[in-house]
Amino acid sequence: MPDIRNIVILTGAGISAESGIDTFRGGGGLWEQHRVEDVATPEAFERDPNLVLRFYDMRRAAIQEKLPNPAHDALARLDRAWNGDLLIVTQNVDDLHERAGASRVLHMHGEHLNAWCTYCDERSRWTGPLADRPPCPRCGARALRPDVVWFGEMPYRMEEIYAAMRTAHLFVSIGTSGAVYPAAGFVRDARSLGAQTLELNLERSQGSSWFDETRLGSASEVVPAWVEEVLAG
Ligand code: APR
């Protein structure tokens, strides 16, 4: 493997599947009995805020009962051991990468354990429910929403992601279907910037043909094996 110093890793719902967190497009496109469009859009929140808040309250509570799996643990090991640049860009809103011990993590679709005040723009760590419209810890307004990027909203920290891609020697995509942009386009950006590209997935993603290499299998198996290979140089 030529000299790999800087790595960008993109993770999707597939890396958390074995921790017991449903993927979005696995079980017939229903997201815990709700169509994603009915709960994960600003229009849905406008139309029925209680439905949306209750849905996210349920997921926030469920996530806190889940544990990282060997794939999260392996990426945390790599993060701790890797002397070069390394960035884990996750589309997931769970905190399993962090609970496994990873620190160089960027949540481009937000974080389930944050509440966002639509009045004063403050983001607060939040582990409880929002459906009972609690006051914002900073301004007191009862205007908190999940700090999750909904369809039609801009993903977070895109500049930082593209800056990391510009110096990456290796781009690895783990457990994502390649169905949602801009994340689905990162592999093409990485290739055009000269990086090697690797996909680790249970099944081939929609962008599979853009990868130099694809390794199929469950994340808890293929990710630790890949990390050991990288750390062994
Ligand atoms: N190991 C590895 N990969 C897995 C596993 C597993 N055990 N189980 C499922 N997968 C893979 C599937 O093959 C698929 O490629 O996880 C991916 C799940 O795809 P999606 O459900 O579309 O999840 P994701 O790609 O993260 O969705 C992207 O869409 O709904 C929005 O904002 C949401 O961040 C999400 C984005």
Side-chain angles (χ1 to χ4, degrees), residues 73-83 86 100-104 231:
D73 296 337
L75 290 190
R77 202 162 45 251
L78 179 63
D79 183 19
R80 284 192 295 269
W82 194 252
N83 295 325
L86 182 136
S103 56
R104 294 183 272 187
L231 290 179

Side-chain angles (χ1 to χ4, degrees), residues 80-161:
R80 284 192 295 269
W82 194 252
N83 295 325
D85 290 346
L86 182 136
L87 182 61
I88 300 170
V89 179
T90 186
Q91 300 173 88
N92 302 336
V93 291
D94 64 57
D95 63 332
L96 296 181
H97 282 304
E98 291 87 345
R99 278 200 268 149
S103 56
R104 294 183 272 187
V105 181
L106 189 159
H107 287 266
M108 65 180 288
H109 288 168
E111 298 181 64
H112 248 293
L113 297 177
N114 279 358
W116 176 20
C117 180
T118 57
Y119 189 75
C120 73
D121 208 29
E122 174 82 355
R123 282 166 171 82
S124 318
R125 200 81 184 137
W126 203 271
T127 56
L130 290 174
D132 52 1
R133 310 313 298 259
C136 164
R138 187 170 91 172
C139 75
R142 293 182 182 277
L144 296 175
R145 61 163 270 190
D147 184 22
V148 171
V149 176
W150 286 330
F151 285 96
E153 296 182 328
M154 268 305 286
Y156 292 160
R157 302 167 63 185
M158 292 302 293
E159 270 319 301
E160 284 175 66
I161 295 171

